[in-house]
Amino acid sequence: MKLLRSAFAGVLFISAIAASSLASAAEFLTIQLKDGPVVIQLMPEVAPKHVAQIKALAEKGAYDNVAFHRVIQGFMAQTGDVQYGNMAKSFSAQRAGTGGSDLPDIPAEFSKVPFERGTVGMARSQDPNSANSQFFIMFDKGASLNGQYTVVGKVVSGMEFVDKIKRGKGGNGEVTDPDRMIKVTVGKK
């Protein structure tokens, strides 16, 4: 019996160490907004190809100065158009939201992870396999998106700064003089 308890204690100890190292290996996307940093825990176990693309774009600075071109009160804030949304280089208010990046589009990685406040999902066109660089952060639940859009992460701190992003006007949420992602970095915690 003593041997069994010792073995069980050993298994618990090893499990705790494994869980601790998994948590410390978690990857985070940090978006510096005008009001403060937003930290997103990425979910490569849910959407490995999408997360890899976001990381690649962030690591080369492609998301820096990119506008939140579509922001709908009570729904979501969309950004990530590195082709037409960069407010320091190629910003086009008329085209922001229609571009992507120089990387290829990504096949859908739909999951059972629900869209709720703080969920980060990939934007796409009507084609489910058209996600590229654009993503959105949910202000509230969005059950209609569940299983239809790829979830890539969840805001773990700074949601109060997301709430301060300038809202758009009209049904499509187009933003005049939009807020932007000042700097976007990737790191481990």
Side-chain angles (χ1 to χ4, degrees):
M1 190 64 152
K2 216 175 199 180
L3 183 60
L4 187 59
R5 271 189 259 158
S6 292
F8 184 68
V11 168
L12 287 177
F13 178 73
I14 291 170
S15 296
I17 289 173
S20 172
S21 63
L22 280 176
S24 65
E27 293 182 294
F28 296 87
L29 188 72
T30 301
I31 302 172
Q32 184 61 48
L33 300 180
K34 68 180 178 0
D35 293 306
V38 176
V39 180
I40 298 165
Q41 183 169 357
L42 297 172
M43 297 179 176
E45 71 283 3
V46 173
K49 292 175 185 168
H50 287 75
V51 168
Q53 185 125 321
I54 287 173
K55 285 173 45 184
L57 290 167
E59 287 167 350
K60 68 180 188 177
Y63 285 131
D64 297 352
N65 293 304
V66 173
F68 281 92
H69 63 273
R70 182 174 181 238
V71 184
I72 301 173
Q73 177 66 36
F75 183 41
M76 60 88 212
Q78 185 172 329
T79 186
D81 184 344
V82 301
Q83 186 175 9
Y84 301 118
N86 187 318
M87 297 180 72
K89 294 180 185 170
S90 58
F91 183 69
S92 168
Q94 292 75 31
R95 297 186 79 185
T98 65
S101 72
D102 57 357
L103 300 176
D105 289 349
I106 314 160
E109 295 177 299
F110 300 152
S111 68
K112 293 185 187 276
V113 178
F115 280 89
E116 44 194 35
R117 180 169 167 75
T119 299
V120 180
M122 289 298 282
R124 61 172 177 80
S125 69
Q126 295 289 333
D127 178 357
N129 301 312
S130 63
N132 186 287
S133 63
Q134 295 184 48
F135 60 91
F136 55 90
I137 303 171
M138 299 297 293
F139 290 125
D140 206 345
K141 289 181 181 179
S144 65
L145 304 179
N146 292 345
Q148 304 296 313
Y149 287 80
T150 299
V151 173
V152 295
K154 174 90 174 154
V155 174
V156 293
S157 71
M159 195 62 198
E160 69 273 21
F161 305 129
V162 173
D163 288 335
K164 294 180 179 182
I165 294 171
K166 184 179 179 183
R167 304 306 199 260
K169 305 287 183 210
N172 203 26
E174 303 88 359
V175 185
T176 304
D177 189 27
D179 286 340
R180 62 181 156 171
M181 298 186 288
I182 297 167
K183 179 90 178 146
V184 181
T185 56
V186 177
K188 293 188 183 296
K189 188 172 185 183

